[in-house]
């Protein structure tokens, strides 16, 4: 009987890890690519951290990733955003005076200037929530740091069967699942390195990225639909 696989194989420029395939029936993982790369990637995969980490440890992941950091955002709001002066300014005026030199900006800029990729897809409801509009405005600043930010309507995300998970995928080896409380506060992060799960997150990434729209184009479409 033919074997059925889930795969993270993609055509994203050849800079990712070798392809990983997971047998749907028995969970066996097969990795293929250049022999040296396969050995190196699997060795690193076996020694990556797992389990729940706090937010300070999570921030360190943005200092140590080697090639790519990719994010899926699915939430309607983030409590941490609503506690900021910039959020209050946005709600009041519809515009924000963004600080392009805060610690997060300096960290991301220091990575993208090295040629590392920082990318994200944000899911947006129709109509968009205040928090989603705030982040769409924020995309102008983050894009200037070297991030590639794209958006996807929730109806399209549902059609693609994207999960309602917020996560980062680092170097196609390490998934960081963000965990929130009932008040939409980020409380901790679960690190995942199990190969079949990395395949799943990679498939989610490729599907979302293929269908998402650059934030500038999405903002125009959103304005036209209002």
């Amino acid at each position: 009987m033919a074997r059925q696989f889930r795969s993270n194989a993609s055509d994203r420029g050849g800079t990712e890890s070798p392809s990983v395939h997971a047998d749907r029936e028995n969970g066996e993982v097969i990795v293929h690519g250049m022999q040296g790369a396969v050995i190196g990637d699997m060795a690193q995969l076996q020694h990556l951290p797992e389990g729940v980490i706090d937010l300070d440890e999570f921030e360190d992941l943005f200092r140590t990733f080697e090639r790519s950091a990719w994010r899926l955002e699915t939430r309607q709001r983030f409590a941490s955003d609503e506690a900021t002066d910039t959020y209050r300014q946005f709600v009041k005026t519809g515009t924000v005076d963004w600080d392009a030199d805060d610690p997060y900006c300096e960290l991301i800029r220091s990575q993208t200037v090295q040629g590392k990729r920082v990318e994200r897809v944000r899911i947006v409801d129709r109509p968009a929530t205040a928090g989603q509009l705030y982040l769409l405005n924020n995309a102008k600043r983050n894009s200037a740091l070297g991030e590639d930010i794209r958006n996807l309507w929730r109806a399209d995300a549902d059609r693609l069967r994207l999960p309602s998970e917020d996560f980062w995928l680092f170097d196609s080896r390490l998934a960081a699942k963000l965990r929130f409380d009932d008040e939409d506060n980020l409380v901790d992060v679960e690190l995942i390195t199990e190969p079949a799960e990395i395949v799943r997150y990679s498939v989610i990434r490729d599907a979302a990225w293929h269908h998402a729209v650059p934030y500038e184009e999405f903002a125009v479409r959103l304005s036209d639909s209002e």
Side-chain angles (χ1 to χ4, degrees):
M1 182 176 66
R3 300 173 72 182
Q4 296 182 338
F5 293 97
R6 291 184 297 169
S7 172
N8 76 336
S10 69
D11 58 356
R12 294 165 59 81
T15 59
E16 294 291 341
S17 305
S19 299
V20 180
H21 309 271
D23 190 307
R24 292 180 182 274
E25 294 296 327
N26 61 26
E28 178 184 355
V29 174
I30 298 174
V31 183
H32 69 78
M34 294 178 61
Q35 183 176 9
V38 171
I39 294 172
D41 276 13
M42 291 305 291
Q44 290 190 47
L45 189 62
Q46 293 171 355
H47 293 92
L48 286 172
E50 290 186 289
V52 176
I53 61 173
D54 62 29
L55 301 186
D56 288 336
E57 293 172 298
F58 174 56
E59 183 177 311
D60 286 338
L61 297 178
F62 294 90
R63 298 184 175 90
T64 58
F65 77 93
E66 296 178 0
R67 294 183 300 275
S68 64
W70 189 92
R71 169 80 186 274
L72 179 67
E73 292 183 18
T74 66
R75 303 184 67 81
Q76 295 182 318
R77 64 183 290 264
F78 295 91
S80 58
D81 287 344
E82 296 177 7
T84 64
D85 291 337
T86 52
Y87 185 88
R88 287 185 284 272
Q89 181 185 14
F90 178 77
V91 170
K92 183 176 180 179
T93 69
T95 61
V96 176
D97 297 322
W98 295 106
D99 179 5
D101 295 310
D102 69 13
Y104 174 81
C105 291
E106 292 177 356
L107 174 57
I108 297 303
R109 191 183 295 114
S110 71
Q111 299 292 54
T112 59
V113 74
Q114 299 177 57
K116 300 180 184 181
R117 298 199 315 275
V118 180
E119 304 165 332
R120 69 176 82 205
V121 170
R122 286 175 169 149
I123 307 302
V124 180
D125 291 279
R126 196 193 298 260
T129 67
Q132 291 165 351
L133 293 173
Y134 169 78
L135 290 174
L136 189 60
N137 187 283
N138 171 265
K140 294 182 293 186
R141 179 191 71 164
N142 283 20
S143 180
L145 306 176
E147 287 195 36
D148 190 344
I149 301 175
R150 305 185 185 187
N151 291 87
L152 188 66
W153 292 114
R154 191 171 301 278
D156 293 326
D158 292 342
R159 177 176 56 82
L160 294 169
R161 298 182 179 180
L162 300 184
S164 57
E165 298 179 51
D166 272 42
F167 68 88
W168 282 92
L169 183 62
F170 295 95
D171 297 324
S172 295
R173 296 193 186 102
L174 173 67
K177 182 178 179 181
L178 279 61
R179 309 201 309 183
F180 296 82
D181 63 18
D182 292 339
E183 303 300 322
D184 297 302
N185 296 291
L186 176 61
V187 292
D188 58 33
V189 177
E190 180 184 2
L191 298 186
I192 300 168
T193 61
E194 196 276 319
E197 278 296 283
I198 297 303
V199 170
R200 184 177 74 87
Y201 282 117
S202 297
V203 170
I204 292 167
R205 174 199 62 196
D206 290 349
W209 194 249
H210 178 74
H211 291 88
V213 176
Y215 84 89
E216 303 97 329
E217 180 182 344
F218 188 88
V220 172
R221 294 184 186 183
L222 180 61
S223 178
D224 290 343
S225 68
E226 293 178 346

